[in-house]
Every structure is written in C-alpha cells, then in structure tokens.
Amino acid sequence: MRLTHGHYCEIIRYIWCTKPIIQINVFMRRNLIMAASAVMAMVAVPALAQNSRIVEEGGSGPYKAIMMEESTLTTHTIFRPQDLSKFDKKNLLPVLVWGNGGCANSPSGHINFLNEVASQGFLIVAIGPSNYQQIEAPRPGQTGDVPRMGGMGGGMPQMGGGMPGGMGGQRPEGAPQGGMPRMGMGGGMPGGMGGGMPQMGGGMPGGMGGGMSMGDPEGLKQALEWAIAQNADKNSPYYQKLDIDNIGAAGMSCGGLQALHMLDDARIKTIMVMNSGFFGSEESEDKASLAKMKQKSVIWILGGSTDIAWDNGNDDFKRMSGSMPACLVSLDGIGHGGTYMQPNGGDYAKVAGAWLKWWLKGDKEASTMFTGAEPGVSKMAGWSIERKNIK
C-alpha cells in the first residue's frame, strides 16, 4: 500500500486522540511521531536509480541534477535533472555529449562541472560507464579500472582532469573505446597520471604519446544516437522530452578533440572545445577541417598561457573564417586542469553554462556573457575574450 499524506495524518491523529488499554506516555508519543515522520520522509523521496549519485546536492541550478547510469546505455554516464516531469514539448531538454580529459573512459575528473551544467536544464551524456569492475587484465600503460561511483574524485592538477590515483580508464569488453587515439594505445600513465597525458588520449608506457590522429569521436556518436532514439521511444523516460534540434558536443583536452571531430555532423548545433585544440600550427587535415564546420557556433575555453593547449586553441580560433560565430575565452593562470572539480564546477561551469543556454535554449540574458561592448565574461576576474561574428 502506498502511504499518502492522509495516512500520515491518520497516524498522528491516532497517536494523540485514541486511548489504548495501555496509556501512551509523552515520551512514547514523541517516539511514534518521529517514526511516522521518518516513514513519510522515505515515501516522499523518490528512490534513486541504480548506480546513481547526487553530486553537490544536485547543483545550484533550477533543476536539481543526478548522476546516473541508464540500462539502455551502460557504456556512458548520464547527468540530468532529477525530476523529468518538469520537461515536455513546451520545455524540452537540450542535449550535450561529452568527452573526457585524456580521452579517459570515465567522467570522474569532471563530475562537479557536468552536474552543475545539467542543473541548468540539460541532459549530458558523458563517455564512460558510471560504475563497473575491471574485467580484463590491464594492458601496457594501464594501471587499473575506472573507480566505482562511490569513489569518484577529481583529476590530477594541470593534468587534464584524469582519474585519481592512477586509474587508467580501463575499457570493459564490448564497451566503446570512448575516443582512445586512433592508433589504439591504451589507458593512463603509470604512477597516478590520470587518464593519459593531456590531449594525448591515453599515453604509452613511460610517457610516450599516442598516435598522430587523436580523439576518435565514436563514443560521442553513440551518445548522440542514443539520445535521439530515446526521444522517439514511447517506453523511454525521455520520450518527447529531449530537444534533439539543440544538441551540443563538448570535451576537455583529448575529449575536446573528440568534440572537434564531430564538426562534420550538422545535428550538432554548437561545439565547446575546452583546454584543447588541434595539434600544431602547420597545415593538416584536422586544421583544414575547421573551414568545413557544419555547426552554428564554436567556442574555445582555455586556461591561459600555462595551459598546454593554449597555442593549439589559439591557432584554431585564428583559422576560423567565414560567418560562423566563434569565441575564445580564457581564465588566466588556471592552466590545463581548469575548474572542473571546484565547487559547482567553478567559473568554467558559469561560462560553459551561459554559452549552452544561449545557443541551445535561446536565452538572451545568457548571451550577454559573450555579446555587447562589455561582455559578461570580460567582467569576471582573470578572464579574457576574443570574438568573431559576435556583436
């Protein structure tokens, strides 16, 4: 039987108004009321999904978020508002697909950031399962499996938000590679360098980098297709609640390269390249592809001149031509590690959240962070901004 508020009132009324054979003293009455209140509290709070976690009390946005696994996509982690009943055809959830630092197969180094953005009213599908045990022996260059949900922590400072304690992003059999470099080198650096060298998508033993072409976007493509399918599935909790016309791709470091490699997919409306950029300053296939982007906008979010991706990101931005709105913002001195694991994702969550609300929700107030004679970003301590085709 499902207890209602009416049942609760009846319990309290019985305790105070009836006179059983054995007189209930005041102390016992108080205990019974406390017990009844505890029962009602359990009834009032919906049960959390299996393999779920509330991060930072759900974030600071208007829609308290949850980090969870979906049985229909166990190779990825979902960040979304807890209460989906608030979303319908008149208030749809835009989608963001996310690639991790080091192209790691876990979002553990970015959970505060992703949770905070989700609390602004977004469904985020991040590469990597939320919770699994190692089921195969580590390959050379790997030191273990993704941490279980109860132990997820922040990334190594300045090292691309990888997994703590040498967790090398082990991939379970049958799972998507989550964007390991196309030459297929595995996992993280030994000795605690989480999720591989910055931007290198899983370094080789002893610090040797991966292949020449980094950031395979297969994991992001799977996330995109899953979200679209869920919106069309009448049996899905996301049925007709997702805004599949407003989808973004984003990622940090090597994950940013994964996002950039989605530039030929017109279903992606905006791309956020965070602490990342195509390698080098010489002409290459990747650099040339920037002129063929099919998105409506793109932003680079960097960590100042000490960010290992500083030159790459700046070179990419300078190469942007044509009419596409493009932006480069940077937080001086924060370096490659960003603010992902600061409380509520730090300044990065504020900037990225505003960009997504502007481009995926049409939020005019959020757009003022990047538009006008004095954009909001320029007023934030330590931040700078460059723009193309944005007034």
Side-chain angles (χ1 to χ4, degrees):
M1 180 182 70
R2 180 179 178 83
L3 291 177
T4 66
H5 185 265
H7 290 124
Y8 173 73
C9 293
E10 288 300 322
I11 293 171
I12 299 301
R13 189 177 298 113
Y14 174 80
I15 292 170
W16 282 105
C17 300
T18 63
K19 295 181 178 181
I21 296 173
I22 300 175
Q23 182 68 33
I24 301 177
N25 62 33
V26 174
F27 176 77
M28 292 178 67
R29 289 179 181 177
R30 288 176 178 171
N31 284 348
L32 285 169
I33 290 172
M34 290 174 64
S37 298
V39 170
M40 287 308 300
M42 293 173 64
V43 172
V45 177
L48 296 179
Q50 187 177 8
N51 291 341
S52 65
R53 175 180 172 185
I54 301 298
V55 178
E56 294 192 304
E57 299 182 347
S60 68
Y63 306 101
K64 294 303 180 182
I66 185 172
M67 171 185 174
M68 63 181 295
E69 174 187 291
E70 288 286 3
S71 61
T72 51
L73 191 71
T74 58
T75 53
H76 290 63
T77 299
I78 308 300
F79 297 81
R80 64 157 173 86
Q82 298 175 32
D83 185 0
L84 293 178
S85 68
K86 296 181 179 180
F87 300 93
D88 53 28
K89 292 181 178 180
K90 295 181 179 180
N91 182 30
L92 294 170
L93 269 172
V95 178
L96 180 71
V97 294
W98 172 266
N100 309 300
C103 283
N105 200 39
S106 167
S108 62
H110 315 287
I111 60 175
N112 288 5
F113 168 83
L114 296 172
N115 181 76
E116 179 65 19
V117 174
S119 77
Q120 302 296 324
F122 294 92
L123 172 75
I124 301 177
V125 189
I127 290 174
S130 64
N131 183 5
Y132 69 80
Q133 296 179 340
Q134 182 174 324
I135 60 175
E136 60 181 58
R139 296 184 293 275
Q142 294 180 315
T143 57
D145 63 323
V146 172
R148 299 181 68 83
M149 180 164 290
M152 290 185 174
M156 292 293 293
Q158 309 297 319
M159 293 304 294
M163 288 159 292
M167 302 285 188
Q170 180 81 11
R171 177 175 60 90
E173 184 177 358
Q177 294 200 11
M180 295 306 238
R182 292 177 186 177
M183 287 187 68
M185 301 310 298
M189 289 290 296
M193 299 298 196
M197 288 293 289
Q199 300 198 78
M200 296 303 288
M204 290 161 53
M208 300 299 293
M212 293 300 292
S213 182
M214 308 296 173
D216 188 330
E218 182 60 29
L220 295 186
K221 291 180 179 179
Q222 291 185 11
L224 173 64
E225 298 296 344
W226 175 84
I228 293 173
Q230 289 296 299
N231 190 62
D233 183 355
K234 293 182 179 180
N235 296 316
S236 169
Y238 304 103
Y239 178 60
Q240 294 187 349
K241 292 180 181 292
L242 305 183
D243 191 350
I244 58 173
D245 292 325
N246 285 290
I247 300 175
M252 184 268 180
S253 194
C254 184
L257 300 182
Q258 292 175 300
L260 276 172
H261 281 128
M262 296 289 283
L263 56 75
D264 61 347
D265 193 329
R267 294 174 297 178
I268 301 295
K269 190 172 184 179
T270 190
I271 290 179
M272 294 195 307
V273 189
M274 307 187 68
N275 303 102
S276 189
F278 284 134
F279 286 104
S281 58
E282 301 298 323
E283 190 63 35
S284 65
E285 182 179 348
D286 281 342
K287 294 289 187 181
S289 69
L290 292 169
K292 304 174 183 178
M293 293 185 72
K294 295 182 179 181
Q295 284 66 52
K296 301 295 184 183
S297 65
V298 60
I299 185 172
W300 283 262
I301 301 178
L302 303 178
S305 59
T306 58
D307 185 345
I308 194 173
W310 174 254
D311 290 338
N312 298 340
N314 272 274
D315 184 73
D316 285 357
F317 177 73
K318 291 176 182 177
R319 289 173 180 267
M320 295 302 297
S321 58
S323 59
M324 178 183 291
C327 189
L328 186 151
V329 296
S330 180
L331 177 55
D332 187 49
I334 198 64
H336 195 61
T339 70
Y340 303 97
M341 291 304 292
Q342 289 183 12
N344 296 127
D347 275 3
Y348 271 37
K350 296 176 183 177
V351 173
W355 181 265
L356 293 172
K357 284 192 286 186
W358 178 21
W359 285 100
L360 301 185
K361 291 190 171 208
D363 189 322
K364 293 183 178 180
E365 182 178 354
S367 73
T368 62
M369 286 282 280
F370 311 96
T371 60
E374 295 184 356
V377 171
S378 67
K379 300 175 184 179
M380 296 172 63
W383 284 86
S384 60
I385 181 170
E386 296 183 58
R387 301 171 292 179
K388 293 183 178 182
N389 303 309
I390 296 176
K391 296 182 180 180

